[in-house]
Amino acid sequence: MAGKSIQDLLTPALTVDLLKVKRNAQVMLERFQKLGVQLRPHMKTHKTLECADIMTAGTRRCIVVSTLAEASFYADHGYDDILYAYPLPFDKVERCAELSERLTLFHVLVDNSAALEELKKRPLKRGKLWHVWLKLDCANGRAGVPHSEPAALQLAQAISESPGVELTGIYTHCGNTYSCSGEEEIRAVAQDTTTFTLQFMEKLQANGINCSKSSIGSTPSCSQPVPDMAMLSEVHPGNYVFYDVQQSMIGSCKLEDVAVRVITRVVGHYPHRNQMLVDCGWAGLSLDSGGRLPTGYAVIEGHPDLKLLSMTQEHGRVEPISGKLDYEKFPLGSLLSLIPYHACATAVMHPVYFVHSDGVVVDTWTPTRGW
Amino acid sequence: MAGKSIQDLLTPALTVDLLKVKRNAQVMLERFQKLGVQLRPHMKTHKTLECADIMTAGTRRCIVVSTLAEASFYADHGYDDILYAYPLPFDKVERCAELSERLTLFHVLVDNSAALEELKKRPLKRGKLWHVWLKLDCANGRAGVPHSEPAALQLAQAISESPGVELTGIYTHCGNTYSCSGEEEIRAVAQDTTTFTLQFMEKLQANGINCSKSSIGSTPSCSQPVPDMAMLSEVHPGNYVFYDVQQSMIGSCKLEDVAVRVITRVVGHYPHRNQMLVDCGWAGLSLDSGGRLPTGYAVIEGHPDLKLLSMTQEHGRVEPISGKLDYEKFPLGSLLSLIPYHACATAVMHPVYFVHSDGVVVDTWTPTRGW
């Protein structure tokens, strides 16, 4: 495979531009090094060892995962200091305990007292402590205790007072940055999230509750950080290593920073309906975006006049945004390059990624899957 | 794993009700046996060996696949008479040639003369013939030559006259049944598709073009067939072995025929916004349906009053359709069972399926992936 041109790959294929990945990773590392904040990159977008090595600059330490499958995969490959940033699922307590006992640092997340009780029912062996992060909801509206509710402080206190358990940190996901448009809006959400989180840290201190770490994250907020984020201990973005059309629209990056493509091939010409078919359906791209981009389900690189109108499992319908399709420009068998709307959603559809440097395949990466 | 209750599975998990799968498969087999039509089941929904064995009644012969990965997977496991029902992709001609040379019967699909030229450039060894099906578009509007265009007959003639190539059959996918509502509308589309296909077969005969087989398919049309379908040689539905909410809405089946579920666990209670979180996001369900069902992205079994409102990668937000959520009915850690809107889209998200009989796991099936 190595040495092959990406033009010669069987399609559809997910390609990863290694230089862009390295640059995106390096920019994020340097940005938070300068701010004196620990970067704890999230693995959920790619779920591969190779990309994790790039994001952690080879340390294999200090990562976030979204599934226990990822946690086990990274632990099995020499990673440590892994934060399983998911509201503790009660079916996975025993597996979390095993990882906690096996690794130097395995962190879990809780946002309710029932989860804390589950942890207390399973004390770790050899006097190890459960490393618990309290999930705080700072106006995102997904998981977490709302930062302003007394329940948040009460839960922090309960965690810190529980035997066998340590309140390690406060964790906030500012997913609400995904509805932002432009740097200014992103920074406003980043500022609010930082302020609420730091205020909560002060409240903990004022109440004599030990908790050393605070972390916020999302690719938009960490791509457009505010100075106050220097007062946090950590940040935990993930998507930035690939970026995507959505991030470019939010204002996290430029479209040229996007490191991934789905290479697809023209498989049919249908002049009677002014369309052509490509061999990428939702099985190769995902249905994310709902087709609501002006160019449909993706941006077709170099062809802003084309729209990926609809998809079935393995077929994509492409037509011009206006006018007649010039079929001579797109012969049967020729390639189109789709810039995904949401890289996390597209990557999850592929059992292997083709990593290239200037269009020449240099590696293949195999993600972990499942839960 | 075998012997475990599905209640004890780590979530999210795709479960398959073996008895329903066997019944759905049996009903379809008997239906077309009675009509004297060969059933050539499509594998794209499940992509597993075990389910293929059920659909082919153990013959391991006469199937349709949507990807070359499926074709190779089934060929490697003793399957034969495989129809790769996809407009011949030019990058895969050599692999198709190898499968044609290796199997007794490997069929390819073409809908344009450039594809025919690709086949002629690669004559098969040992005097074997390319088995070619002409894809006809009978008002579906995806792949295929429109049945009424002179180009269809011309292409059929060109195929039949090409050295090293045999015009084996005419293939039509009536995907337009997916916009039907109710048996009557399905039957109208099934009738039109059958009529157009049979008329085309007559046209071939009238023009002295040899072509022995005709096949139409889609789960709706094969679930609600019209008598004229008895004059076809084959049908090629696939989804019916699982069925799903979409098929029940179209009128292909009843909701109780649906054989698959995604089992998910309650991981968070958020009374301040009248919601709870479950551990199934789009990574476990897909975004198919766009959330437009009255119950959102899926039907929550036994709880018609609940809505799966939105999903991120690993989180699903659930709220009541109206009124206050009764959290006591859904304790943290308890299970919900999601009936997928589109089983093909949901199954593709899972690296393993948990097969059960009356709620007890009896097997695990591992699908093939990729292209």
Side-chain angles (χ1 to χ4, degrees):
Chain A
M1 190 56 65
K4 204 173 192 172
S5 163
I6 53 171
Q7 308 278 325
D8 297 328
L9 291 173
L10 294 187
T11 49
L14 187 87
T15 63
V16 177
D17 185 325
L18 186 59
L19 299 180
K20 287 189 183 177
V21 159
K22 285 184 174 171
R23 194 178 59 208
N24 291 342
Q26 191 60 29
V27 166
M28 196 61 86
L29 278 162
E30 286 174 5
R31 177 179 293 140
F32 285 97
Q33 209 159 32
K34 272 187 204 147
L35 286 175
V37 175
Q38 174 69 50
L39 175 66
R40 182 186 288 277
H42 206 307
M43 300 295 117
K44 79 174 186 89
T45 302
H46 58 86
K47 308 191 186 207
T48 67
L49 277 182
E50 295 87 345
C51 197
D53 284 350
I54 294 170
M55 291 172 98
T56 60
T59 65
R60 299 198 162 192
R61 294 292 176 276
C62 204
I63 60 171
V64 187
V65 297
S66 67
T67 65
L68 202 63
E70 291 164 53
S72 302
F73 174 73
Y74 287 107
D76 289 348
H77 288 88
Y79 274 74
D80 207 324
D81 194 355
I82 300 172
L83 199 167
Y84 177 31
Y86 197 79
L88 184 80
F90 294 1
D91 55 326
K92 300 183 184 78
V93 174
E94 182 55 34
R95 294 227 196 159
C96 287
E98 288 161 14
L99 282 166
S100 298
E101 286 161 353
R102 180 177 147 202
L103 298 179
T104 304
L105 277 172
F106 182 73
H107 312 264
V108 296
L109 195 79
V110 306
D111 74 355
N112 62 76
S113 54
L116 177 61
E117 291 310 308
E118 293 292 317
L119 295 180
K120 285 157 72 177
K121 276 192 239 162
R122 173 55 172 93
L124 300 179
K125 291 169 190 159
R126 296 183 302 281
K128 274 204 149 187
L129 297 178
W130 282 103
H131 295 284
V132 177
W133 292 64
L134 168 63
K135 177 82 179 249
L136 208 61
D137 182 0
C138 297
N140 181 40
R142 196 176 64 182
V145 194
H147 67 98
S148 55
E149 284 195 11
L153 193 67
Q154 285 158 15
L155 182 56
Q157 185 130 28
I159 296 167
S160 72
E161 288 171 357
S162 294
V165 176
E166 174 197 87
L167 177 62
T168 306
I170 302 300
Y171 189 97
T172 301
H173 171 57
C174 39
N176 43 336
T177 47
Y178 279 77
S179 56
C180 292
S181 175
E183 300 177 17
E184 203 175 324
E185 285 185 31
I186 296 173
R187 291 211 174 97
V189 174
Q191 182 63 58
D192 280 354
T193 309
T194 306
T195 302
F196 294 149
T197 303
L198 292 173
Q199 282 173 350
F200 191 76
M201 295 302 287
E202 283 168 22
K203 224 188 281 184
L204 292 178
Q205 206 177 9
N207 284 272
I209 300 169
N210 274 335
C211 177
S212 60
K213 292 183 189 297
S214 55
S215 182
I216 77 159
S218 89
T219 281
S221 60
C222 294
S223 297
Q224 305 290 354
V226 291
D228 276 3
M229 284 165 71
M231 289 185 275
L232 299 163
S233 337
E234 301 190 355
V235 290
H236 52 257
N239 172 286
Y240 69 93
V241 77
F242 284 172
Y243 281 132
D244 52 32
V245 169
Q246 180 176 222
Q247 295 291 348
S248 79
M249 293 171 71
I250 293 169
S252 311
C253 66
K254 294 182 187 149
L255 195 58
E256 50 265 39
D257 298 325
V258 181
V260 287
R261 299 289 184 275
V262 177
I263 307 286
T264 183
R265 199 163 244 104
V266 178
V267 293
H269 284 172
Y270 306 94
H272 63 286
R273 57 175 204 262
N274 201 30
Q275 287 179 346
M276 58 184 170
L277 281 186
V278 293
D279 68 358
C280 179
W282 49 250
L285 188 68
S286 93
L287 288 163
D288 216 312
S289 87
R292 286 179 296 269
L293 292 172
T295 55
Y297 284 91
V299 168
I300 304 180
E301 191 165 26
H303 301 288
D305 49 326
L306 291 182
K307 180 171 182 172
L308 179 57
L309 180 76
S310 67
M311 291 180 289
T312 53
Q313 191 159 345
E314 302 292 350
H315 302 76
R317 285 186 183 91
V318 175
E319 64 179 26
I321 289 175
S322 66
K324 280 280 197 193
L325 185 55
D326 180 0
Y327 288 95
E328 288 190 8
K329 281 172 69 181
F330 308 102
L332 289 164
S334 64
L335 293 176
L336 291 175
S337 180
L338 309 178
I339 314 181
Y341 176 74
H342 190 175
C344 310
T346 298
V348 92
M349 309 309 284
H350 289 262
V352 63
Y353 313 155
F354 298 93
V355 183
H356 70 94
S357 181
D358 285 330
V360 178
V361 176
V362 292
D363 204 356
T364 53
W365 294 351
T366 303
T368 190
R369 290 281 171 256
W371 293 274
Chain B
M1 189 58 64
K4 205 174 189 169
S5 163
I6 55 170
Q7 308 278 327
D8 297 328
L9 291 173
L10 294 187
T11 49
L14 187 88
T15 63
V16 176
D17 185 324
L18 186 59
L19 299 180
K20 288 189 183 177
V21 159
K22 286 184 174 172
R23 194 178 58 208
N24 292 340
Q26 192 60 29
V27 167
M28 196 62 84
L29 278 162
E30 286 173 6
R31 177 179 294 140
F32 286 97
Q33 209 160 32
K34 271 185 208 151
L35 285 176
V37 175
Q38 172 70 47
L39 175 65
R40 182 186 287 277
H42 206 308
M43 301 294 118
K44 79 175 187 88
T45 303
H46 58 87
K47 306 190 186 207
T48 67
L49 278 182
E50 296 86 346
C51 196
D53 284 350
I54 294 169
M55 291 171 97
T56 61
T59 65
R60 299 198 161 193
R61 294 291 177 275
C62 204
I63 59 171
V64 187
V65 297
S66 67
T67 65
L68 200 63
E70 290 163 56
S72 302
F73 173 74
Y74 286 108
D76 290 348
H77 288 89
Y79 275 74
D80 207 323
D81 194 354
I82 299 173
L83 199 168
Y84 176 32
Y86 198 78
L88 183 81
F90 294 2
D91 54 326
K92 301 183 183 78
V93 174
E94 181 54 34
R95 294 225 197 160
C96 287
E98 288 160 15
L99 282 165
S100 297
E101 287 161 353
R102 181 177 147 202
L103 298 180
T104 305
L105 277 172
F106 182 72
H107 313 264
V108 295
L109 194 79
V110 306
D111 73 355
N112 62 76
S113 54
L116 177 60
E117 292 310 309
E118 294 292 317
L119 295 180
K120 285 158 72 178
K121 277 191 243 163
R122 173 56 172 93
L124 299 181
K125 292 170 191 161
R126 296 184 300 281
K128 274 206 151 186
L129 297 177
W130 281 103
H131 295 283
V132 177
W133 292 64
L134 169 63
K135 177 82 179 248
L136 207 61
D137 183 1
C138 297
N140 181 39
R142 197 176 64 181
V145 194
H147 67 100
S148 55
E149 285 195 10
L153 193 68
Q154 285 158 17
L155 182 57
Q157 184 131 28
I159 295 168
S160 72
E161 290 172 355
S162 295
V165 176
E166 174 198 88
L167 178 62
T168 307
I170 303 300
Y171 190 96
T172 301
H173 171 58
C174 38
N176 42 336
T177 47
Y178 279 77
S179 57
C180 292
S181 177
E183 300 177 17
E184 203 175 324
E185 285 185 30
I186 296 173
R187 290 210 175 97
V189 173
Q191 182 62 59
D192 280 354
T193 309
T194 304
T195 303
F196 295 149
T197 303
L198 293 172
Q199 282 173 349
F200 191 76
M201 295 302 288
E202 283 168 22
K203 224 188 283 182
L204 292 178
Q205 205 176 10
N207 284 271
I209 301 170
N210 274 334
C211 177
S212 60
K213 291 184 189 296
S214 57
S215 183
I216 77 159
S218 86
T219 281
S221 60
C222 295
S223 298
Q224 304 290 352
V226 291
D228 276 4
M229 284 166 70
M231 288 184 275
L232 299 163
S233 335
E234 301 191 354
V235 290
H236 52 256
N239 173 287
Y240 69 93
V241 76
F242 283 173
Y243 281 131
D244 52 33
V245 170
Q246 180 177 220
Q247 295 289 350
S248 78
M249 292 170 71
I250 293 168
S252 312
C253 67
K254 294 183 188 150
L255 195 58
E256 50 266 38
D257 298 325
V258 182
V260 286
R261 299 288 185 276
V262 177
I263 306 285
T264 184
R265 199 161 244 106
V266 178
V267 293
H269 284 171
Y270 307 93
H272 62 286
R273 57 173 204 264
N274 201 30
Q275 288 178 346
M276 57 185 171
L277 281 186
V278 294
D279 68 357
C280 179
W282 48 252
L285 188 69
S286 92
L287 288 162
D288 215 311
S289 87
R292 287 181 293 269
L293 292 171
T295 55
Y297 284 89
V299 168
I300 304 180
E301 190 163 29
H303 301 288
D305 50 326
L306 291 182
K307 180 170 182 172
L308 179 57
L309 181 75
S310 68
M311 291 180 289
T312 53
Q313 190 159 347
E314 302 293 350
H315 301 77
R317 285 186 184 90
V318 175
E319 64 179 25
I321 288 175
S322 66
K324 281 281 196 190
L325 184 55
D326 180 359
Y327 289 95
E328 287 190 8
K329 281 173 68 182
F330 308 102
L332 290 164
S334 65
L335 294 177
L336 290 176
S337 181
L338 308 178
I339 314 181
Y341 175 75
H342 190 175
C344 312
T346 297
V348 92
M349 310 309 284
H350 289 261
V352 63
Y353 313 156
F354 298 93
V355 183
H356 71 94
S357 182
D358 285 328
V360 178
V361 177
V362 292
D363 203 356
T364 54
W365 294 351
T366 303
T368 189
R369 289 281 172 257
W371 293 277

